């Protein structure tokens, strides 16, 4: 066995990943990487550039229209990114809302969106703040409506808005990027609109979200090709935990 693919319930991701890497096995794990700072720190001790490959399933950065968007950004210029996610509510007793087993929507799911912003920015974050609308029946862990602001110094500002208040049929994921007189709008990884003096529309009819490409990248990493390998694979995990700390402070 050369590699382990982990797709268990969220609370087991870190434990299994650490055990696999201690045994010298490469790891591909679905998000989230960790549900707590304790799990996060345990992973940091096991993930090194010279050790086994450790990759979290942040597939969106591998989507064809994501790659197209990234290629159009100028790495030396500042940018503002807004990632909006509209989701239906799920039953209150669903396992993903259990803080111990699933982590809730913020820690259990939002890493996807934080990683995507990290991918576009290409620089480490310097601060995180979060706010939420918490109803009487909810806790900070189980609420469905939050905004997370991510600071990247003078390089970028990123915002994730996650809400269950939108109308049925709304675009699930919409990313808007502003840079140097241009506006980029990516909707559900099916349509990318690029606007400057005029608008160009680029389409991906199937809404390819990068699942195949990320697994191909993992296999390439196992063969020694470090192209595209994240230098800090736990950066999005840190943002999610910092955001929860911000909510609870």
């Amino acid at each position: 066995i050369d590699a382990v693919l982990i797709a268990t319930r969220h609370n087991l991701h870190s434990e299994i990943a650490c055990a696999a890497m201690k045994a010298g096995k490469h790891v591909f794990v679905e998000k989230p990487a960790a549900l707590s700072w304790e799990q996060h720190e345990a992973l940091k001790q096991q993930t090194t550039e010279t050790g086994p490959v450790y990759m979290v399933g942040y597939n969106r950065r591998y989507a064809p229209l994501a790659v197209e968007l990234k290629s159009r950004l100028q790495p030396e210029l500042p940018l503002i990114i807004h990632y909006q996610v509209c989701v239906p509510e799920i039953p209150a007793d669903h396992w993903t809302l259990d803080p111990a087993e699933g982590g809730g929507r913020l820690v259990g799911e939002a890493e996807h969106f934080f990683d995507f912003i990290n991918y576009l920015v290409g620089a480490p974050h310097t601060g995180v703040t979060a706010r939420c609308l918490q109803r009487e029946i909810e806790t900070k862990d189980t609420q469905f409506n939050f905004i997370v602001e991510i600071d990247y110094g003078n390089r970028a500002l990123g915002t994730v808005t996650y809400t269950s208040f939108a109308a049925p049929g709304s675009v699930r994921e919409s990313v808007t990027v502003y840079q140097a007189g241009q506006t980029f709008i990516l909707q559900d990884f099916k349509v990318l609109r690029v606007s400057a003096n005029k608008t160009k529309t680029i389409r991906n009819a199937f809404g390819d979200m990068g699942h195949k490409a990320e697994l191909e990248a993992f296999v390439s990493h196992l063969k020694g090709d470090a192209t595209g390998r994240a230098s800090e694979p736990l950066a999005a995990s840190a943002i999610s935990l910092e955001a929860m700390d911000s909510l609870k402070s």
Side-chain angles (χ1 to χ4, degrees):
I1 297 175
D2 297 314
V4 176
L5 275 66
I6 304 169
T8 61
R9 293 200 170 185
H10 299 166
N11 59 311
L12 298 177
H13 288 183
S14 175
E15 177 184 348
I16 297 173
C18 285
M21 287 187 284
K22 284 180 181 178
K25 310 302 180 184
H26 304 294
V27 169
F28 178 94
V29 58
E30 285 296 343
K31 61 80 198 158
L35 294 186
S36 67
W37 282 114
E38 181 181 6
Q39 292 182 353
H40 181 90
E41 291 303 317
L43 284 167
K44 282 187 71 173
Q45 293 179 17
Q46 295 300 321
T47 54
T48 64
E49 291 185 5
T50 58
V53 173
Y54 172 80
M55 182 172 174
V56 186
Y58 302 136
N59 56 286
R60 285 158 177 76
R61 60 166 58 209
Y62 297 96
L65 290 185
V67 175
E68 176 69 28
L69 170 56
K70 171 82 169 179
S71 73
R72 291 172 176 269
L73 299 178
Q74 301 179 58
E76 72 281 4
L77 296 179
L79 67 163
I80 289 178
I81 304 170
H82 181 66
Y83 203 131
Q84 179 174 294
V85 185
C86 299
V87 296
E89 293 188 16
I90 57 178
D93 61 353
H94 194 276
W95 71 268
T96 58
L97 296 181
D98 182 330
E101 189 172 25
R105 299 290 81 189
L106 174 51
V107 174
E109 182 180 14
E111 275 183 36
H112 268 314
F113 321 125
F114 303 145
D115 176 75
F116 192 76
I117 294 177
N118 286 346
Y119 166 67
L120 295 182
V121 173
H125 74 282
T126 57
V128 178
T129 57
R131 291 166 290 169
C132 72
L133 293 174
Q134 179 185 331
R135 292 172 292 187
E136 289 184 3
I137 60 173
E138 297 172 336
T139 67
K140 292 291 193 303
D141 296 292
T142 63
Q143 50 79 29
F144 276 83
N145 296 277
F146 56 83
I147 294 175
V148 177
E149 298 173 348
I150 312 166
D151 188 352
Y152 295 88
N154 285 327
R155 166 61 179 152
L157 294 173
T159 305
V160 173
T161 298
Y162 188 101
T163 183
S164 63
F165 294 158
S170 296
V171 172
R172 187 186 192 278
E173 296 181 29
S174 180
V175 183
T176 303
V177 181
Y178 305 99
Q179 185 186 59
Q182 296 184 93
T183 300
F184 306 87
I185 301 175
L186 175 61
Q187 294 185 314
D188 282 338
F189 298 88
K190 295 178 180 179
V191 178
L192 173 63
R193 292 186 176 88
V194 182
S195 300
N197 295 324
K198 50 186 171 181
T199 299
K200 178 179 182 179
T201 300
I202 306 167
R203 300 183 184 276
N204 183 290
F206 298 103
D208 183 345
M209 294 183 70
H211 294 95
K212 179 182 177 182
E214 72 171 346
L215 290 174
E216 291 174 343
F218 180 64
V219 172
S220 293
H221 297 338
L222 299 190
K223 295 178 179 179
D225 181 1
T227 305
R229 184 175 175 182
S231 59
E232 180 43 82
L234 294 170
S237 172
I239 292 174
S240 72
L241 295 171
E242 289 176 41
M244 182 56 74
D245 287 347
S246 177
L247 280 188
K248 292 181 175 181
S249 63

